[in-house]
Amino acid sequence: MIAVFVNCATVIVGSLLGCLFARKITKTFSDVVTTGAGIISLALGLQMMFKYESIICLALSLILGGLLGTLLNIDGAILKLGSKLENLVSRKKSESAAPSDSAATTENNAAAEPAPDKKNFAYAFLNASVLFCVGSMSILGSFQAGIDHDYTLIFTKSILDGFMAIVFAASMGIGTLFSFVAILVYQGALTLLSSFIAPFISELMLTELTACGGAMVAMISFNLLGLKKIKTANFLPGLIFVVLYVVAKRYIPLP
């Protein structure tokens, strides 16, 4: 689990650096950072997506996964979780900042200083969580760490995630930091269960999972660039359909 903790730490540090950086730039420069984050996400997503071996698998997984995710409203559920985290952080911050002897002073301060990142907190949490968890490095790296105690891949991913956290936090806010919760739960579970899961993960499955995850990263880029509002998290069930497709292909001659 040490590799997972390192990955969480780099995202936390990167997010803090991104937020500090964002406070020193104007709205105009902030828009430039957001556009840059969108282009980087687009390039990363396309690079991952074009690794597919079966376009049929990719198409079916995204469409069926998107329909199921929309039905379950996964995007809304994750945004609600992000909002709860935001409220928790805001409450603790206000409690520590409020003077104990003057309610009037507290009210004046609240009116003068609006809570930071109110609009973007849950959105940043959602997008960063998807970005840091859908790649093949998360799966393969967790398996290597759990089975062979080889942390090289996860440490490499940690460095990349740290830099991406700087860019995302600078463009979307402190919600990016709390994506470490998703990394801790997702990669932690994969690492702990790696010896049981690894025998069922073939190279083909890993390739198709990477392609499907890349499509979701590309969706994030569309949101950042303002090209189209996409509820990215609703497509997460597509990863399940990838697994089902690859397993079925062992017994049925699918394209």
Side-chain angles (χ1 to χ4, degrees):
M1 286 290 289
I2 185 173
V4 178
F5 294 142
V6 169
N7 200 167
C8 292
T10 58
V11 168
I12 292 172
V13 173
S15 299
L16 291 174
L17 290 175
C19 290
L20 290 174
F21 172 71
R23 292 174 183 174
K24 299 180 182 297
I25 61 177
T26 63
K27 176 66 169 60
T28 301
F29 286 109
S30 179
D31 290 341
V32 172
V33 174
T34 301
T35 301
I39 294 298
I40 292 170
S41 299
L42 180 61
L44 179 62
L46 292 177
Q47 183 185 47
M48 293 168 60
M49 187 172 64
F50 284 119
K51 290 182 179 180
Y52 71 85
E53 289 195 18
S54 172
I55 189 64
I56 302 298
C57 175
L58 180 60
L60 286 176
S61 298
L62 284 176
I63 294 172
L64 295 177
L67 290 173
L68 179 59
T70 301
L71 183 64
L72 298 175
N73 192 24
I74 295 175
D75 190 275
I78 296 178
L79 285 175
K80 284 182 181 178
L81 175 59
S83 296
K84 288 181 179 179
L85 289 172
E86 176 187 18
N87 292 334
L88 180 63
V89 172
S90 299
R91 184 162 56 247
K92 287 185 176 181
K93 190 172 182 179
S94 61
E95 286 175 357
S96 62
S100 57
D101 58 343
S102 177
T105 303
T106 301
E107 292 177 0
N108 291 336
N109 287 341
E113 298 182 9
D117 301 314
K118 271 286 184 183
K119 185 172 63 174
N120 296 327
F121 189 103
Y123 178 73
F125 168 74
L126 186 153
N127 283 328
S129 296
V130 172
L131 177 69
F132 297 145
C133 292
V134 297
S136 60
M137 293 180 78
S138 296
I139 302 173
L140 189 56
S142 297
F143 289 165
Q144 288 182 350
I147 299 173
D148 302 324
H149 301 290
D150 180 357
Y151 307 133
T152 305
L153 194 55
I154 286 294
F155 284 163
T156 302
K157 176 182 180 293
S158 299
I159 295 172
L160 296 175
D161 287 354
F163 282 107
M164 285 300 295
I166 294 175
V167 177
F168 263 53
S171 61
M172 293 190 296
I174 194 64
T176 304
L177 183 149
F178 288 87
S179 62
F180 86 87
V181 176
I183 295 174
L184 183 63
V185 173
Y186 177 70
Q187 288 185 189
L190 286 178
T191 300
L192 294 174
L193 299 174
S194 56
S195 58
F196 300 101
I197 301 174
F200 302 99
I201 304 295
S202 63
E203 184 176 346
L204 175 62
M205 187 180 295
L206 198 60
T207 298
E208 299 297 2
L209 286 171
T210 297
C212 188
M216 296 178 203
V217 174
M219 292 177 192
I220 292 174
S221 75
F222 276 65
N223 288 332
L224 289 172
L225 295 171
L227 299 177
K228 181 178 176 62
K229 177 63 178 175
I230 302 175
K231 295 183 177 181
T232 309
N234 282 346
F235 290 85
L236 286 173
L239 299 173
I240 298 175
F241 284 102
V242 168
V243 173
L244 295 176
Y245 184 95
V246 174
V247 171
K249 193 171 183 178
R250 296 177 183 174
Y251 308 99
I252 305 172
L254 296 172

